[in-house]
Amino acid sequence: MNKAITDGVLLMPPAFADGLDVWSSGDGTSGSDTYLNAANAALVVADQDFGSCLELQKIESTTFVRYMGQTPLLPGCYLRVTARIKAISGNFPEVRIAGYAARGDGSEVTGLTTSGSSTTLTAYGDVVEVSAIIGAGNRGGVDLVWGREPVYGHFGLDLTGANGGIVRIDDIEVEDITSVFLRDIVSTVDVRDFGAVGDGVTDDSDAFDAANAVADGRTILVPAGTFRLETDIAFDHLAKFEGTLSMPVEKMLLLRKNYDLPTYIEAFGDEGLAFRKAFQALLNSSDHDSLDMCGRRVQVDGPIDMQAAVPNRDEFNTRRVIRNGQIEATGDVNWDTVVTTSQATYSTSDARTLTNVTNAANIEVGSYVEGVGVGREIYVLEVNAAAEKITLNAPLFDAVGTQTYTFSRFKYLIDLSGFSKLSKFNMSNIEFQCNDKTSGIMLAPAGPTFELQECFISRPKDRGLTSIGGGCQGILIDRCQFLSSEESETVENRTTIALNVNSNDAKVRDCRATQFRHFMCMAGQNHLIMGNHFFQGDGISGGVRTAGIVLQDNFTASVISGNYIDNCFVEWTNERDATPEFSTGFSFSSFSLTDNVFLASDVADWFSYLVVKPHGSGHFLNGVSVSGNRFRSINGTITRAERVDTSYADLSHEQNRAVYFEGNSYHNIDEQASNPLVVAHEQNTNSTIWTIGTNKKLPFESYCQFVDSVALVGDIRNTANARVFENPVGRGRIGANEDEFTLEFASEVRGLIRATVRMDKE
């Protein structure tokens, strides 16, 4: 680049032969004395070395020679001022290039270095060349770094040292040598050319803005150094960072042309800081909907508080995506769980609140709550320290009164809990490498349709993905893997949980989870859980197993279909009822378990694949379909595929209605349930009342309530061995366990029939 050529900028001063009236013996400003008719100056027309030149006697302590014309100082432009000089007689002076830095109004910009290094003349007649480079940027080789404030200069030279000597000075040259500092003359704009200092202290914001303003499609270069920026900076052009940036937390760097994580890592040097700054830009710019990590691994030694990275945003409701990379936990100290114990009071009249909480200020939002009568995955949603009150994400099933609770604040690689609401946020193709140091992701307290797609949450310490409130509404989890850190533990010693949901409409599809205590704890309604493979076994013969899926609300309206459920089971509870005894409502209802593959090995014979666990009396099944499933046990048999956990209460079997348990296959299952159930019976002795058992083949060992139909398999004959044509009366709920039924005939008969019976009311 050469402005004299490309833009016709006049840089070169006129020759001395053109007149000495434009050459000042002062600072070069208008009105200063000139060398025209000066007693100590003369024009020499034909010097053997210089041709025409200025002969000058040094008579002042500093003798100035300045061109009075205004040589422009353009942003990004570097000038070299050169003078050739020789001593003629008398004392030998020192000589240096110098200049006057001027603002647009002609006033001097003070505080700058205005002269170059001095050279002493040592012999008469020897030609000595002195030069200096002037420019805005603090680059290597620049002698006079003037920044962006001066807009023109008066250039020339100074004679210092002993007086009396006579010298001759060739015509002074000013040339544009910007190309020396440019790697690519066409494509690069260096922020130093606009006054950036890069000392980590000086605010270089204006220089960055100026470079962006003139880049015009060229790459903005941030060279080596630390550049402090005190304001928001937006680059509309490609940026290349060799140095690093320092910015206040609340100030933003918006890279509109190369918005990706590697560029932010180059810009800030620190991977964790770069990730936070890139996320800050993601939520404060409409230019990009996604942050591409470009396959980079980000190592962090503490939780990433995502809201703290964006202090100007308490909520965000526009789709944004972070994708394609890895986030890994390192170090140890910053991941420690914060545990607080406090006494508090619970009442069902305010079922999501703890009151009279001692030391409430010490309890963090997002803390996991443990205590007597507290269900699984209960978290602190809000803390009102002044009122000594805590809001929970769900009711407690049996905690009325005052007791001591334990509050454990797990740490998370990605912590979104600082947002009051975060909607339509997506994380895709990311591995969260927890390394048994930390948990994976904590969601915001509110906001629908968080998406996790094709991600790995590997070896979480406590939890994979945690919802402490409604941030899981409509959550979409697709093609993800949850890999436990507890694979070496026996099942009963595992504590980690892959994910939980508090709100409605979750979709969990085509995921894989290994050896957690639970794969999912699902409160709320209308969930679709499809195509997943989760397994939780160990090598203990006759071992216990834990639930893979826990449904925490009795009215679930959910579908579990097409999953491979390996060495674990589906548990259905009402542990989030503040008053768990049934009074009104639908009870355990609206649930479909279809076309799943169930497999267990080396388990205790009491193990079952579907367990209903009422936390209060009076509950029943209502609108339940279990069909098309494959139930199999290897290395031993199990008694039943389904059962009721009566730890708190049994089902009210007489109230069951609309239960369909059919089309399932059983392998190494002793009592194979079905409803409706077809029972074959051969009556060998004549009797008016045939009492027939169901052999525990009705689901959940329920009552045999109704006889729907009776089909004759052979002849019905009386005591005279005559055929009898009679339709018997069927009555259910016979026997001590009410799981038998009778067929009543008008006379004593015998024969072979098939009866269809039901355990429910239709």
Side-chain angles (χ1 to χ4, degrees):
M1 182 176 73
N2 190 306
K3 290 292 184 179
I5 297 173
T6 60
D7 297 343
V9 176
L10 182 61
L11 299 176
M12 192 71 69
F16 291 122
D18 292 339
L20 299 180
D21 57 335
V22 296
W23 290 96
S24 170
S25 59
D27 57 16
T29 59
S30 177
S32 60
D33 293 335
T34 71
Y35 283 106
L36 181 64
N37 300 321
N40 64 329
L43 181 66
V44 176
V45 177
D47 181 85
Q48 62 183 1
D49 296 309
F50 302 148
S52 63
C53 62
L54 174 66
E55 185 174 281
L56 183 66
Q57 183 179 23
K58 183 180 184 305
I59 59 175
E60 303 286 346
S61 59
T62 301
T63 298
F64 302 101
V65 179
R66 297 285 190 277
Y67 174 48
M68 298 177 70
Q70 297 179 357
T71 303
L73 295 169
L74 303 174
C77 190
Y78 290 82
L79 304 181
R80 180 167 60 192
V81 179
T82 303
R84 296 197 305 156
I85 186 171
K86 62 183 178 181
I88 300 300
S89 64
N91 294 325
F92 293 109
E94 295 178 0
V95 61
R96 66 192 184 196
I97 299 297
Y100 174 91
R103 298 184 179 89
D105 61 3
S107 62
E108 183 179 12
V109 179
T110 59
L112 304 178
T113 300
T114 56
S115 58
S117 58
S118 296
T119 299
T120 303
L121 305 183
T122 58
Y124 300 123
D126 287 351
V127 176
V128 175
E129 182 176 282
V130 292
S131 66
I133 297 175
I134 301 96
N138 185 19
R139 291 170 170 259
V142 178
D143 301 287
L144 310 184
V145 180
W146 282 7
R148 296 183 60 249
E149 194 172 0
V151 297
Y152 68 86
H154 299 295
F155 295 112
L157 55 79
D158 293 341
L159 298 175
T160 62
N163 289 336
I166 297 176
V167 298
R168 287 183 179 178
I169 305 168
D170 196 6
D171 295 330
I172 294 175
E173 298 179 351
V174 179
E175 58 184 327
D176 181 355
I177 61 162
T178 305
S179 60
V180 173
F181 297 95
L182 296 184
R183 309 166 192 203
D184 186 335
I185 296 174
V186 174
S187 63
T188 303
V189 174
D190 193 320
V191 295
R192 290 177 300 182
D193 298 337
F194 302 88
V197 178
D199 60 3
V201 178
T202 304
D203 182 8
D204 291 323
S205 301
D206 289 346
F208 276 57
D209 284 338
N212 179 67
V214 303
D216 193 22
R218 291 175 290 171
T219 297
I220 300 171
L221 175 65
V222 179
T226 300
F227 295 84
R228 181 66 178 173
L229 304 176
E230 296 287 353
T231 64
D232 296 337
I233 295 297
F235 278 170
D236 300 308
H237 312 278
L238 292 176
K240 171 63 178 174
F241 293 89
E242 294 178 352
T244 57
L245 306 182
S246 168
M247 301 180 76
V249 171
E250 70 277 6
K251 300 304 179 184
M252 291 174 279
L253 175 68
L254 306 178
L255 302 176
R256 293 183 172 131
K257 285 295 184 183
N258 50 339
Y259 176 71
D260 55 55
L261 184 60
T263 304
Y264 275 82
I265 292 174
E266 290 178 357
F268 291 96
D270 179 270
E271 292 175 346
L273 175 60
F275 181 82
R276 292 191 291 270
K277 282 298 187 183
F279 177 68
Q280 180 187 43
L282 182 64
L283 267 59
N284 281 282
S285 173
S286 60
D287 294 292
H288 298 89
D289 73 338
S290 61
L291 169 62
D292 192 347
M293 297 177 69
C294 297
R296 285 293 298 262
R297 178 182 65 175
V298 175
Q299 293 183 309
V300 294
D301 62 2
I304 303 177
D305 186 335
M306 300 291 275
Q307 193 281 323
V310 195
N312 65 320
R313 301 280 188 180
D314 177 63
E315 66 175 74
F316 194 80
N317 299 305
T318 303
R319 179 180 180 270
R320 288 292 184 267
V321 182
I322 300 176
R323 56 187 170 90
N324 189 25
Q326 182 187 79
I327 304 174
E328 181 178 12
T330 62
D332 295 302
V333 176
N334 296 325
W335 304 111
D336 292 342
T337 298
V338 177
V339 179
T340 305
T341 57
S342 293
Q343 190 178 79
T345 301
Y346 182 74
S347 171
T348 57
S349 63
D350 193 358
R352 293 175 181 259
T353 303
L354 294 179
T355 59
N356 300 321
V357 181
T358 60
N359 301 316
N362 296 330
I363 300 170
E364 297 183 44
V365 169
S367 294
Y368 175 64
V369 184
E370 297 173 280
V372 176
V374 178
R376 285 161 287 197
E377 298 306 274
I378 300 297
Y379 291 92
V380 174
L381 186 58
E382 296 178 3
V383 176
N384 186 334
E388 298 182 326
K389 185 168 69 173
I390 284 176
T391 302
L392 306 173
N393 65 325
L396 311 181
F397 69 87
D398 189 19
V400 172
T402 300
Q403 63 168 300
T404 298
Y405 293 87
T406 299
F407 302 90
S408 300
R409 183 54 162 89
F410 307 139
K411 300 299 177 65
Y412 292 79
L413 271 177
I414 299 294
D415 194 334
L416 299 163
S417 63
F419 290 98
S420 63
K421 184 179 182 182
L422 184 64
S423 304
K424 293 174 281 189
F425 190 68
N426 181 309
M427 304 191 83
S428 175
N429 285 283
I430 300 173
E431 180 178 9
F432 301 91
Q433 186 57 262
C434 301
N435 291 332
D436 200 21
K437 299 175 183 293
T438 181
S439 297
I441 303 169
M442 178 175 278
L443 300 182
T449 59
F450 177 87
E451 295 183 56
L452 195 70
Q453 298 177 334
E454 296 181 341
C455 291
F456 278 65
I457 297 184
S458 302
R459 300 181 60 78
K461 178 183 176 184
D462 298 293
R463 298 293 185 269
L465 183 147
T466 295
S467 174
I468 64 169
C472 54
Q473 172 71 41
I475 192 171
L476 303 170
I477 303 177
D478 292 295
R479 301 176 302 282
C480 294
Q481 294 209 39
F482 298 83
L483 308 178
S484 172
S485 64
E486 296 183 312
E487 65 275 4
S488 62
E489 297 285 346
T490 56
V491 169
E492 66 269 23
N493 291 325
R494 295 174 187 160
T495 60
T496 58
I497 296 174
L499 66 99
N500 80 293
V501 170
N502 300 308
S503 296
N504 300 335
D505 310 331
K507 285 85 176 174
V508 184
R509 297 168 292 204
D510 302 325
C511 296
R512 179 176 178 269
T514 67
Q515 296 168 306
F516 288 87
R517 184 171 185 84
H518 305 302
F519 173 30
M520 291 184 283
C521 292
M522 308 288 285
Q525 304 168 9
N526 309 320
H527 305 313
L528 299 178
I529 303 170
M530 308 176 72
N532 305 286
H533 179 198
F534 44 101
F535 49 98
Q536 296 173 197
D538 58 24
I540 305 300
S541 180
V544 300
R545 298 291 183 262
T546 52
I549 299 174
V550 181
L551 300 174
Q552 296 177 282
D553 286 314
N554 52 4
F555 183 86
T556 185
S558 296
V559 174
I560 299 177
S561 180
N563 302 279
Y564 182 6
I565 302 175
D566 186 346
N567 275 279
C568 55
F569 57 93
V570 176
E571 181 180 350
W572 189 9
T573 82
N574 63 323
E575 65 184 48
R576 295 204 168 183
D577 281 347
T579 53
E581 286 74 19
F582 177 75
S583 56
T584 60
F586 300 106
S587 197
F588 282 82
S589 55
S590 190
F591 175 51
S592 177
L593 184 70
T594 61
D595 298 311
N596 300 283
V597 174
F598 288 89
L599 177 68
S601 60
D602 294 305
V603 295
D605 60 3
W606 46 262
F607 170 84
S608 295
Y609 294 108
L610 173 60
V611 177
V612 177
K613 187 176 183 179
H615 277 68
S617 61
H619 286 283
F620 53 91
L621 302 177
N622 180 5
V624 177
S625 176
V626 179
S627 63
N629 301 288
R630 288 85 173 156
F631 298 114
R632 184 186 180 196
S633 174
I634 59 177
N635 297 334
T637 62
I638 63 174
T639 304
R640 305 187 63 83
E642 84 302 331
R643 64 183 170 89
V644 180
D645 184 335
T646 59
S647 299
Y648 295 95
D650 199 352
L651 288 174
S652 180
H653 293 289
E654 70 276 10
Q655 299 298 321
N656 292 335
R657 61 192 66 178
V659 177
Y660 296 90
F661 217 101
E662 54 194 352
N664 305 293
S665 64
Y666 297 87
H667 304 277
N668 289 334
I669 315 294
D670 292 335
E671 298 166 1
Q672 301 177 7
S674 182
N675 189 66
L677 173 66
V678 177
V679 179
H681 176 72
E682 184 175 6
Q683 182 73 24
N684 294 317
T685 59
N686 292 322
S687 177
T688 57
I689 299 177
W690 297 3
T691 301
I692 304 170
T694 57
N695 299 315
K696 298 184 178 181
K697 291 186 177 181
L698 286 170
F700 303 100
E701 299 185 64
S702 295
Y703 299 161
C704 177
Q705 299 211 67
F706 298 101
V707 180
D708 281 1
S709 65
V710 177
L712 302 181
V713 178
D715 293 339
I716 301 295
R717 295 182 180 271
N718 59 20
T719 55
N721 204 33
R723 295 178 67 187
V724 174
F725 300 93
E726 180 183 346
N727 191 26
V729 176
R731 301 185 189 277
R733 299 185 63 179
I734 304 299
N737 295 321
E738 302 187 63
D739 60 348
E740 299 174 339
F741 64 97
T742 60
L743 298 180
E744 299 181 9
F745 295 86
S747 61
E748 292 184 344
V749 293
R750 68 185 183 277
L752 183 63
I753 58 89
R754 289 171 64 89
T756 301
V757 300
R758 299 191 67 92
M759 47 81 75
D760 58 336
K761 301 175 180 179
E762 288 196 272

